Amino acid sequence: MLKEIKASELNTDKFIAEKVNEIMSAVGNGTAINALSGGVDSSVVTMLGHRALGKKLRTVFIQNGLMREGEPEAVKDIFSKLGVAVEIIDSKKDFLDALSGITDPEEKREAITQTFYKKVFGRLVRESGAKFLLQGTILTDVDETVAGIKRQHNVFEQLGIDPQEAFGYRILEPLIQLRKDGVRLTGRALGLPEDMFNRIPFPGPALAARIIGEVNEEKLEIVRKATSVVERMLANRGAFQYMAILHDDRVTGMRDGKRDFGRQIEVRCWDSVDARTASPTNLPFEVLEKLSASILKEVPGVVSVTYNIATKPPSTIEAV
Ligand code: XMP
């Protein structure tokens, strides 16, 4: 049973010193690989790993084709200013091939997990001789997976899967006793810029968690554009997380005087402390109107925009 460290009880200096020591003694004279996605958790792990291992840590950003607009380059840039070199690995084809034809949410998550850990990291680990992968699993990921709500892409040991046997390397998870609020405090103490440690959460399966039905390049392009609009227009509202979801079914609309059987975007904007429960942000109607107008203007093919007003539970934050 993992012992939770609540944000209110967290002594960040002591926590950082302990985790740096644990990473140093586990890796010893070897090397480790670190998967940075630009999300809060993997950014904090990157800083911890860098402090513990310096040049013995290889930090990679997997371009899986499911990322937000400009994300790999922006993340590389931010970390280079912090003295951490980030390698971008182009694995887009691996992921899109693995997702092709799959519509079931759990099968999509499984395809992403296998491609990420077995195919892409298996190869990187074999090539580099690293024995460890550092990753930012947090307690909420474990809870929801063990409860059978949603198989989070990064949880193994609690499901009885031994990563050494399944993938050929060990996984180090220094943040596993924390929730998002504790991770943010740790990020601040490690010197991450505020727009990184206070960034809205972004899931491991990335935009694939926001596409209902099959994930393909055409749908990714739509949800990527809609995500940019939503993130731009809902920043500074104080919400925990906000996103665009692309529905699978189409609805009748009209464009240039003709029928247009078009796409539907659902906007979600959540108030939450730790993602375990959440409620929709009470956004002014004018904000919703402007948001809808911008999505309809900037995202080709969309004829319907809705705002989700359900709570978690029974909803979950992501749609897949
Ligand atoms: P849900 O959708 O389960 O999300 O209510 C709770 C929080 O976790 C994020 N999330 C994930 N994070 N891997 C992750 O690293 C995943 O597979 C995953 N699925 C959801 C979600 O964005 C929210 O902040």
Side-chain angles (χ1 to χ4, degrees):
M1 195 42 192
L2 285 165
K3 191 177 169 333
E4 175 174 354
I5 304 175
K6 292 207 162 67
S8 56
E9 296 157 359
L10 178 67
N11 174 337
T12 48
D13 287 344
K14 185 165 159 267
F15 178 80
I16 291 167
E18 271 171 23
K19 295 297 154 187
V20 163
N21 270 331
E22 281 173 27
I23 297 169
M24 277 166 61
S25 57
V27 176
N29 292 325
T31 56
I33 293 198
N34 164 45
L36 171 65
S37 69
V40 181
D41 309 336
S42 72
S43 296
V44 172
V45 166
T46 299
M47 296 306 283
L48 265 181
H50 182 69
R51 197 174 276 195
L53 302 173
K55 291 212 176 323
K56 289 194 298 178
L57 182 70
R58 179 178 176 200
T59 296
V60 297
F61 183 106
I62 305 300
Q63 171 49 297
N64 52 17
L66 313 174
M67 292 298 177
R68 289 172 286 192
E69 223 150 56
E71 185 85 359
E73 297 73 22
V75 171
K76 185 176 166 137
D77 216 50
I78 289 166
F79 277 89
S80 116
K81 292 193 182 107
L82 296 167
V84 182
V86 178
E87 250 175 275
I88 299 175
I89 311 275
D90 185 0
S91 311
K92 200 170 146 197
K93 190 170 179 320
D94 288 329
F95 283 88
L96 290 181
D97 285 354
L99 285 164
S100 167
I102 302 181
T103 54
D104 177 79
E106 286 300 304
E107 285 178 26
K108 281 200 275 191
R109 287 176 167 266
E110 184 60 14
I112 292 171
T113 297
Q114 290 300 329
T115 308
F116 193 85
Y117 290 94
K118 203 160 192 165
K119 191 153 192 190
V120 176
F121 271 100
R123 192 166 60 214
L124 282 172
V125 163
R126 272 194 307 280
E127 280 167 15
S128 67
K131 299 270 186 301
F132 295 90
L133 173 68
L134 246 74
Q135 72 171 16
T137 323
I138 64 172
L139 198 51
T140 318
D141 301 339
V142 177
D143 284 348
E144 295 203 347
T145 301
V146 172
I149 295 166
K150 201 175 266 197
R151 165 78 202 273
Q152 307 272 322
H153 77 292
N154 50 5
V155 175
F156 302 105
E157 291 190 16
Q158 293 75 17
L159 292 177
I161 301 168
D162 177 356
Q164 180 75 52
E165 254 173 51
F167 314 122
Y169 49 84
R170 299 236 72 86
I171 297 184
L172 301 178
E173 299 170 311
L175 307 181
I176 202 151
Q177 291 168 278
L178 303 181
R179 297 195 188 272
K180 198 63 93 186
D181 43 357
V183 177
R184 293 194 200 282
L185 294 175
T186 308
R188 181 166 64 188
L190 281 162
L192 267 183
E194 165 139 24
D195 49 0
M196 289 308 277
F197 72 74
N198 257 345
R199 215 176 175 197
I200 52 168
F202 190 66
L207 296 176
R210 298 173 181 177
I211 293 177
I212 319 287
E214 188 189 0
V215 174
N216 57 37
E217 284 203 82
E218 186 216 339
K219 286 166 90 179
L220 278 162
E221 200 44 40
I222 297 171
V223 85
R224 187 175 288 123
K225 284 209 165 83
T227 301
S228 292
V229 177
V230 170
E231 290 197 353
R232 185 180 80 225
M233 297 192 71
L234 295 186
N236 309 321
R237 291 257 146 217
F240 176 81
Q241 198 170 359
Y242 31 98
M243 63 195 67
I245 312 279
L246 175 61
H247 283 221
D248 200 26
D249 49 347
R250 293 173 181 256
V251 290
T252 297
M254 53 195 281
R255 207 181 293 274
D256 305 326
K258 289 209 189 84
R259 177 182 129 96
D260 182 6
F261 199 44
R263 296 288 190 180
Q264 303 190 69
I265 288 288
E266 174 191 330
V267 175
R268 295 184 176 193
C269 182
W270 297 106
D271 290 340
S272 177
V273 174
D274 56 16
R276 281 190 289 181
T277 58
S279 53
T281 305
N282 188 347
L283 294 172
F285 197 69
E286 308 84 75
V287 171
L288 292 170
E289 281 178 320
K290 281 194 189 130
L291 188 56
S292 162
S294 300
I295 292 172
L296 293 173
K297 182 158 163 251
E298 294 179 41
V299 190
V302 175
V303 298
S304 164
V305 178
T306 55
Y307 184 54
N308 176 64
I309 50 171
T311 52
K312 172 182 177 174
S315 179
T316 57
I317 288 182
E318 306 288 346
V320 166

